[in-house]
Amino acid sequence: MSRRASSRQLPATGLALALAPVVALLLAIGLAAWSPEPRAEESTPRPVTIGSKKFTESVILGETLRLLALDAGHPSRHRAELGGTRILWGALLSGEIDIYPEYSGTLVREILAGEDLSSPERLEAALSARGVRSSASLGFENTYAIAVPEPLAQQLGLRRISDLREHPDLRLGFSSEFLERADGWPGLRQRYRLPQTRVQGLDHDLVYRGIAAGHLDVTVVYTTDAEIARYGLRMLDDDLGYFEDYQAILLYRAELAEEAPAAVAAFRRLEGAIDAPTMAGMNGAVKLEGDSEQTVAARLLSEGLGLEVTVSGQGFWSQLGQRTLEHLGLVGVSLGAAILFAVPLGVLAAQQARLGHLILGITGMIQTIPSLALFVFLIPWLGIGWLPTVVALFLYSLLPIVRNTHAGLMDIPVPIRESADVLGLTRGARLRLIELPLAANTILAGIKTSAVLNVGTATVAALIGAGGYGQPILTGIRLDDTALIMQGAVPAALLALGLQGLFEFAERWVVPRGLRLKPTDGVRTDADPDPERPRA
C-alpha cells in the first residue's frame, strides 16, 4: 500500500502540498472579505455607532437614531439585532457601540440590580461611574404583560395574573431572556406563588407561533407588540404590581456628548416625542404590513419632528454579495487557522498518549459549549463583531480535525510501522513518508466535517454583529418571513457544499486511488478507543 503511494511521489509532501493552497485560499478570501472599522480623519465628524436589540421596536428606534445622526452631519452605523440586554450593555461599556435604546425598568432591575438606586440622583451617579448617560423618557412605556388567547381567557375566567394559580396545568412559554432575568419569571412566580411547572423557553418572536399553533397557553408580551391584536391575546391585569415602570430611554457613552454634541442634541429631540399608540403603530407597520424599519423611522421623523431624511435601500444582489463576503471572511480565516493548528495537534495527540487524552478532552469540551454562550463569553475581551466570531469558529473547528488526524494515525496497522522501522526510517521520516499519506483520507474527512459545521455555526454570529448569512435568518424569524429566512439559509447551504467539494478535489489529488475506495465520511467511529496501545 505504501509502495503504491510512493509511486505517485505523494508521500513526502503530498498532504501538505494539497492543503497549503486550500488553506492559503481560505485565509486570503477571509482576510480580503474582512473590512476593519474605518478610522475617521480628525477633520471629519465623529462616526456614531448605534446598537439595537433583537426585536422590532428596538430595531426601529435604532434606525431612527441612525437617520438622526446622518441628519446632524455624522457618519453613522446601525448594528441591528445584537441579541439581548447583556450583549448591548457590554458593547456600550466597551465602546463597541455609542448608544442604544433601553427601558428604565430593565436598567434598574436587571442591569444595575442590587445597587441602591432609590433616587434619580443615585441612578445618574451609578451610570456616570461607568461612563454612561441616560436620556429622559421617549414618551412611551413598554412593559411586560402576561397574555393568554381570548377564547381560553373566557373559558377559564382569566382576568388577573393571580387567576393563573387555579390552573396549574396551563402550558407556559416565555422568551429565554425572561426566564433568566431578575425581573422575569423567577420573581413573577415567587410574587404570585404560581404552581405551573410546564414552562418552555424560546425566542420571543416564536412564542406567538406557539400560541397560534395551540402548543402554548400563556406567554409574556411587550405591551406595544403588534402581535397582541393579531393573535387575539388578552393581557392579564398585574394585580400585585410586579411589573414596574419600563419607560423607553436612550443610553449613550458620556464622551459622545463632547465629541458629537450635534448628534446627541438630535437624539434628545426624541424625548417625549413618541407615545405608546405611535410606537405600537410603527411595530405593526413593520410586522404586519411589511414596511421596512428604515421607512417607518423616516416617516416618524417627518411626521413627528418635521425632518425630511433620505431613505436609501440596498438591492437584493447587493445585499447577497455583502453577506457572502462577510460569511466568507468569518469561515475562511477561522477554518484556515484551524487546519494549520489542528493537524499538528492531532499528530501530537497520536504520538503522546497521555497528552493525547488531554488534547482530545479539551477540544471535546469546547465543542459542548453552546455557540451563543461562547460568543457572549468572548465579548468582554474581544468586543463584538468579526474578531470574537472568528475566535469562536476557530475553536469549534478544532475537534473534527484533531480527532480524525489522531484516529487516522492510530488506525495504521502495526506491521506497516514495523516495516518502516526495518527500513531504518527515523520517526519523522516515518510520519512524513508513511503515516500521514496513509491517514490523509481520514484527515480530509475531518476537515470537510469541520468546514460544514463552521458554515452553519457562523450564521449564529449575526447575534453579535458579525453579519453574514445569519442576518436575514434572524430578521426573517423576527418578522415571521420565510422568504427572508431562505435568503440566508440557501446560500449558507450552497457555501457548505462548495467547501466540501473543494476539499474533495484536494482529496483526489493527495490520496492514492486505492485509499479513496475506503469509505470514510465524518468523524471516525471505528478509531482505536485506546490511544495508549503499544506502537512500534
Side-chain angles (χ1 to χ4, degrees):
M1 187 179 303
S2 59
R3 181 176 298 175
R4 294 182 61 184
S6 300
S7 67
R8 295 185 56 181
Q9 298 181 348
L10 287 171
T13 56
L15 182 62
L17 287 175
L19 288 181
V22 176
V23 172
L25 178 63
L26 288 172
L27 291 174
I29 291 175
L31 292 173
W34 173 58
S35 58
E37 294 287 334
R39 290 180 177 275
E41 301 294 337
E42 292 184 359
S43 58
T44 62
R46 180 193 189 281
V48 179
T49 304
I50 298 139
S52 63
K53 296 185 183 181
K54 199 185 80 61
F55 60 93
T56 299
E57 182 170 296
S58 187
V59 177
I60 292 173
L61 292 175
E63 196 61 27
T64 304
L65 295 175
R66 187 184 72 84
L67 294 176
L68 281 171
L70 288 173
D71 186 68
H74 288 267
S76 63
R77 180 185 181 188
H78 179 197
R79 308 187 79 161
E81 303 180 82
L82 285 179
T85 298
R86 285 296 169 186
I87 294 178
L88 267 296
W89 176 249
L92 183 69
L93 295 183
S94 65
E96 296 283 340
I97 60 174
D98 296 306
I99 184 171
Y100 80 96
E102 189 49 276
Y103 301 91
S104 58
T106 301
L107 177 63
V108 173
R109 301 186 65 185
E110 170 67 14
I111 297 175
L112 302 177
E115 299 190 24
D116 181 9
L117 305 173
S118 54
S119 67
E121 291 75 19
R122 289 183 181 275
L123 174 60
E124 184 178 351
L127 291 175
S128 296
R130 294 169 172 82
V132 175
R133 293 183 183 178
S134 169
S135 73
S137 169
L138 302 186
F140 70 95
E141 180 187 16
N142 185 7
T143 187
Y144 285 117
I146 301 301
V148 297
E150 182 62 32
L152 181 65
Q154 293 181 7
Q155 178 186 348
L156 302 180
L158 301 175
R159 303 182 63 83
R160 308 168 303 164
I161 298 179
S162 296
D163 296 334
L164 296 176
R165 293 197 203 106
E166 307 301 323
H167 305 281
D169 294 332
L170 289 175
R171 300 162 298 176
L172 278 58
F174 298 139
S175 65
S176 300
E177 184 177 357
F178 183 79
L179 280 179
E180 304 297 331
R181 287 170 61 116
D183 57 344
W185 168 243
L188 179 72
R189 183 181 186 185
Q190 184 177 13
R191 174 72 67 86
Y192 281 93
R193 293 180 284 113
L194 297 176
Q196 286 81 10
T197 56
R198 301 171 61 185
V199 182
Q200 292 180 282
L202 59 166
D203 186 89
H204 177 72
D205 295 298
L206 297 180
V207 297
Y208 291 107
R209 300 188 199 180
I211 287 281
H215 299 308
L216 298 173
D217 300 317
V218 182
T219 188
V220 65
V221 299
Y222 303 131
T223 53
T224 56
D225 277 354
E227 292 91 340
I228 296 173
R230 177 182 183 182
Y231 291 99
L233 302 182
R234 175 189 289 185
M235 291 189 287
L236 302 181
D237 180 39
D238 183 15
D239 49 313
L240 296 184
Y242 176 74
F243 296 118
E244 295 185 353
D245 193 22
Y246 284 76
Q247 294 291 328
I249 57 175
L250 302 175
L251 294 181
Y252 58 96
R253 293 180 61 80
E255 69 260 25
L256 193 64
E258 300 176 357
E259 299 172 359
V264 173
F267 297 151
R268 302 199 73 146
R269 293 187 64 185
L270 291 177
E271 294 177 347
I274 310 172
D275 56 23
T278 300
M279 192 68 247
M282 291 194 292
N283 289 335
V286 173
K287 302 204 72 172
L288 306 182
E289 301 169 15
D291 291 347
S292 71
E293 293 89 349
Q294 191 180 37
T295 300
V296 171
R299 192 183 304 148
L300 169 70
L301 296 181
S302 174
E303 298 175 356
L305 302 182
L307 296 178
E308 295 299 330
V309 295
T310 302
V311 176
S312 58
Q314 191 176 14
F316 169 79
W317 293 109
S318 176
Q319 287 186 343
L320 180 62
Q322 178 187 341
R323 291 163 186 158
T324 299
L325 285 176
E326 291 171 346
H327 215 89
L328 283 174
L330 299 172
V331 172
V333 173
S334 60
L335 183 61
I339 294 171
L340 292 177
F341 188 75
V343 172
L345 206 59
V347 171
L348 185 62
Q351 292 180 339
Q352 304 290 333
R354 293 184 178 178
L355 185 58
H357 279 303
L358 181 63
I359 292 172
L360 293 174
I362 292 176
T363 53
M365 182 184 66
I366 293 173
Q367 200 75 22
T368 64
I369 302 175
S371 55
L372 183 57
L374 183 58
F375 288 143
V376 174
F377 179 75
L378 293 173
I379 286 176
W381 292 277
L382 304 176
I384 59 175
W386 188 85
L387 184 56
T389 302
V390 166
V391 172
L393 293 177
F394 164 77
L395 294 174
Y396 280 127
S397 299
L398 293 179
L399 180 62
I401 305 174
V402 171
R403 182 167 289 280
N404 269 41
T405 302
H406 174 268
L409 294 174
M410 297 303 296
D411 254 7
I412 297 174
V414 173
I416 292 181
R417 298 196 188 101
E418 291 175 341
S419 298
D421 290 338
V422 169
L423 293 174
L425 297 179
T426 64
R427 191 173 183 180
R430 188 180 72 184
L431 174 69
R432 185 165 49 88
L433 299 175
I434 305 296
E435 295 179 337
L436 281 178
L438 291 177
N441 198 17
T442 308
I443 294 172
L444 285 169
I447 293 174
K448 286 186 287 186
T449 302
S450 182
V452 173
L453 293 175
N454 192 306
V455 172
T457 307
T459 58
V460 184
L463 283 171
I464 61 169
Y469 294 136
Q471 196 66 56
I473 294 176
L474 287 180
T475 305
I477 293 174
R478 174 169 61 82
L479 300 178
D480 194 11
D481 187 338
T482 304
L484 200 52
I485 294 173
M486 297 303 290
Q487 288 181 21
V490 172
L494 293 176
L495 178 59
L497 290 175
L499 282 176
Q500 185 162 337
L502 179 65
F503 284 109
E504 285 182 355
F505 175 77
E507 182 180 13
R508 284 184 173 275
W509 186 31
V510 69
V511 179
R513 184 176 182 181
L515 294 180
R516 289 203 305 268
L517 297 177
K518 186 178 180 180
T520 302
D521 189 14
V523 178
R524 292 286 299 268
T525 57
D526 57 344
D528 189 343
D530 181 11
E532 292 183 345
R533 66 177 177 172
R535 298 186 54 183

